[in-house]
């Protein structure tokens, strides 16, 4: 038995050791190529555009859209009559939209949404949008942008004739707005934009009170205001919420114009309650403007808000002159 054990041990010791596979010969796992920032950007913008398209489809078939459109139609009809628009232009501008004008989702690329036919009409309305918000991440801002796009289509305002600005817009959101075809402003105007005689709709939901005050100051004349429509925070609501002395001191142009405008509130529905609350359509009848005292029009001092607390707008960054010495 000992001899057999010795033979087995000798046999075990004589066995050649296994050769380890060279590390160089091991099959390597192929590493996934890192995504470029440009590819990620395109993917993200496609997701945002898809969400906008979905929100637009939901808004278009909602009771809120039809009711809000009726409210806007009532104001714009009077506004255009005031501008002595040619006969037939109202029907041209407010043509009927049909649900089948929205293409089927399967026919739409992931990075696109329905585009309107660019019909300028005879009134050549412009549109300016301030404070659209971070629509890439905020559903409220996304629905407000969706409403703007449908409004442009309904009024047959080319998207290139709509100027948009929000000081907090991300680079992704700016790229999406460019893709949608609107004109993105590069400078913070603080609402100080003159319409230069061109009939203009200002779309500025949930914006700071100073922004409306600046806009009025920039167009402080009967001729300019009579060519403007403002869709935004209710001026009546501002009058009710603010103390009279605060309103007249900090926002004098809003205080002075309250008797020279007409306002229609947006309808309220449970689905869009938080999105379009406290929103009204404002327009300025010539008859009311002309009844205001001449002293009101002579006051044209630029607002500065030096003593205004809780200013709800982002100011332009101005360079401190002392820093350059």
């Amino acid at each position: 038995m000992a001899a057999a054990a010795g033979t087995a041990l000798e046999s075990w010791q004589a066995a050649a050791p296994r050769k380890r596979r060279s590390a160089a010969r091991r099959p390597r796992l192929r590493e996934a190529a890192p995504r470029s920032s440009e590819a990620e950007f395109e993917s993200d913008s496609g997701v945002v555009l898809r969400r906008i398209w979905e929100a637009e489809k939901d808004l278009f078939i909602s009771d809120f859209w039809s009711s809000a459109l009726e409210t806007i139609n009532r104001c714009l009809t009077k506004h255009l009559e005031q501008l002595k628009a040619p006969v037939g232009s109202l029907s041209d501008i407010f043509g009927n939209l049909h649900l089948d004008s929205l293409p089927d989702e399967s026919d739409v690329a992931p990075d696109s949404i329905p585009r309107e036919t660019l019909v300028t009409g005879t009134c050549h309305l412009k549109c300016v949008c301030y404070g659209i918000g971070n629509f890439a991440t905020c559903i409220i801002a996304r629905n407000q942008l969706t409403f703007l796009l449908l409004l442009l289509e309904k009024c047959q305002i080319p998207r290139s004739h709509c100027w948009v600005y929000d000081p907090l817009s991300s680079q992704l959101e700016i790229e999406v707005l460019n893709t949608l075809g609107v004109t993105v402003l590069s400078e913070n105007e603080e609402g100080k934009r003159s319409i230069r005689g061109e009939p203009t709709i200002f779309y500025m939901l949930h914006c700071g009170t100073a922004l409306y005050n600046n806009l009025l100051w920039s167009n402080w004349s009967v001729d300019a205001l009579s060519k403007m429509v403002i869709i935004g925070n209710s001026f009546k609501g501002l009058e009710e919420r603010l103390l009279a002395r605060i309103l007249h001191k900090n926002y004098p142009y809003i205080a002075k114009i309250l008797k020279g405008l007409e306002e229609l509130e947006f309808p309220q529905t449970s689905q869009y309650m938080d999105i379009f609350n406290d929103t009204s359509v404002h327009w300025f009848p010539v008859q009311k403007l002309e009844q205001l005292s001449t002293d009101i029009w002579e006051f044209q001092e630029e607002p500065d808000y030096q003593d205004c607390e809780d200013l709800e707008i982002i100011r332009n960054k101005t360079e401190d002159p002392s820093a350059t010495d």
Side-chain angles (χ1 to χ4, degrees), residues 59-113:
L59 177 61
F60 186 83
I61 62 176
S62 69
D63 293 336
F64 171 79
W65 165 247
S66 57
S67 298
L69 190 62
E70 181 180 350
T71 301
I72 296 173
N73 192 6
R74 288 169 58 190
C75 283
L76 279 184
T77 298
K78 295 179 181 179
H79 175 70
L80 294 174
E81 289 174 349
Q82 175 171 277
L83 298 178
K84 297 181 173 59
V87 176
S89 62
L90 293 180
S91 60
D92 291 339
I93 288 181
F94 292 102
N96 292 325
L97 280 179
H98 302 284
L99 183 58
D100 57 9
S101 66
L102 287 174
D104 184 76
E105 184 174 354
S106 60
D107 298 331
V108 180
D111 59 348
S112 65
I113 66 171

Side-chain angles (χ1 to χ4, degrees), residues 251-265:
Y251 312 109
Y253 293 97
I254 294 178
K256 294 175 186 296
I257 205 60
L258 289 173
K259 294 182 179 180
L261 61 81
E262 287 193 9
E263 174 179 332
L264 284 179
E265 297 179 356

Side-chain angles (χ1 to χ4, degrees), residues 17-318:
R18 292 184 179 180
K19 293 183 179 180
R20 298 183 62 186
R21 180 177 292 178
S22 171
R25 294 183 180 179
R26 290 180 183 174
R28 293 183 177 179
L29 296 177
R30 180 174 296 179
E31 296 181 359
R35 294 179 62 190
S36 67
S37 58
E38 182 177 355
E40 290 181 356
F41 194 86
E42 291 178 354
S43 175
D44 291 342
S45 63
V47 171
V48 175
L49 286 164
R50 169 60 65 184
R51 289 173 178 171
I52 293 173
W53 188 91
E54 291 171 349
E56 180 175 339
K57 187 168 60 172
D58 291 340
L59 177 61
F60 186 83
I61 62 176
S62 69
D63 293 336
F64 171 79
W65 165 247
S66 57
S67 298
L69 190 62
E70 181 180 350
T71 301
I72 296 173
N73 192 6
R74 288 169 58 190
C75 283
L76 279 184
T77 298
K78 295 179 181 179
H79 175 70
L80 294 174
E81 289 174 349
Q82 175 171 277
L83 298 178
K84 297 181 173 59
V87 176
S89 62
L90 293 180
S91 60
D92 291 339
I93 288 181
F94 292 102
N96 292 325
L97 280 179
H98 302 284
L99 183 58
D100 57 9
S101 66
L102 287 174
D104 184 76
E105 184 174 354
S106 60
D107 298 331
V108 180
D111 59 348
S112 65
I113 66 171
R115 303 298 292 267
E116 82 283 8
T117 302
L118 300 183
V119 180
T120 59
T122 56
C123 286
H124 305 291
L125 287 172
K126 309 290 184 182
C127 183
V128 177
C129 171
Y130 291 130
I132 196 61
N134 295 116
F135 56 85
T137 55
C138 176
I139 190 171
I140 291 178
R142 191 179 308 134
N143 276 284
Q144 291 173 351
L145 173 59
T146 295
F147 190 99
L148 172 65
L149 296 175
L150 285 177
L151 179 64
L152 294 176
E153 182 177 359
K154 188 64 176 177
C155 294
Q156 297 185 357
I157 301 175
R159 290 183 180 176
S160 60
H161 291 182
C162 176
W163 289 264
V164 179
Y165 184 79
D166 191 304
L168 299 180
S169 291
S170 66
Q171 188 58 43
L172 170 63
E173 288 163 338
I174 292 174
E175 182 63 27
V176 168
L177 290 172
N178 286 328
T179 301
L180 291 172
V182 298
T183 302
V184 181
L185 295 170
S186 58
E187 180 181 353
N188 183 2
E189 300 176 336
E190 297 182 4
K192 299 175 182 178
R193 168 175 281 255
S194 170
I195 64 169
R196 302 182 185 278
E198 297 180 311
T200 304
I201 299 174
F202 286 89
Y203 183 81
M204 37 199 304
L205 308 187
H206 300 170
C207 287
T209 307
L211 211 63
Y212 299 98
N213 194 58
N214 289 348
L215 177 62
L216 293 173
W217 168 77
S218 300
N219 298 278
W220 198 243
S221 70
V222 173
D223 181 68
L225 291 176
S226 66
K227 292 182 172 68
M228 289 171 46
V229 171
I230 300 176
I231 302 176
N233 299 358
S234 167
F235 282 20
K236 291 180 181 177
L238 291 174
E239 183 182 19
E240 293 171 356
R241 289 191 299 270
L242 294 176
L243 294 175
R245 62 178 180 84
I246 297 296
L247 183 63
H248 283 80
K249 177 183 178 182
N250 295 338
Y251 312 109
Y253 293 97
I254 294 178
K256 294 175 186 296
I257 205 60
L258 289 173
K259 294 182 179 180
L261 61 81
E262 287 193 9
E263 174 179 332
L264 284 179
E265 297 179 356
F266 259 27
Q268 293 298 314
T269 62
S270 57
Q271 184 179 4
Y272 293 98
M273 179 70 72
D274 295 334
I275 301 172
F276 299 99
N277 62 307
D278 192 41
T279 299
S280 294
V281 188
H282 311 78
W283 72 288
F284 307 88
V286 171
Q287 297 84 348
K288 286 193 172 185
L289 295 175
E290 290 178 341
Q291 290 174 2
L292 299 178
S293 67
T294 55
D295 294 341
I296 286 180
W297 302 112
E298 290 175 356
F299 178 84
Q300 296 190 16
E301 182 179 342
E302 182 175 1
D304 57 28
Y305 309 107
Q306 290 183 359
D307 301 324
C308 181
E309 298 180 359
D310 300 325
L311 192 63
E312 300 172 326
I313 66 171
I314 296 178
R315 306 294 297 272
N316 246 331
K317 294 182 179 179
T318 56

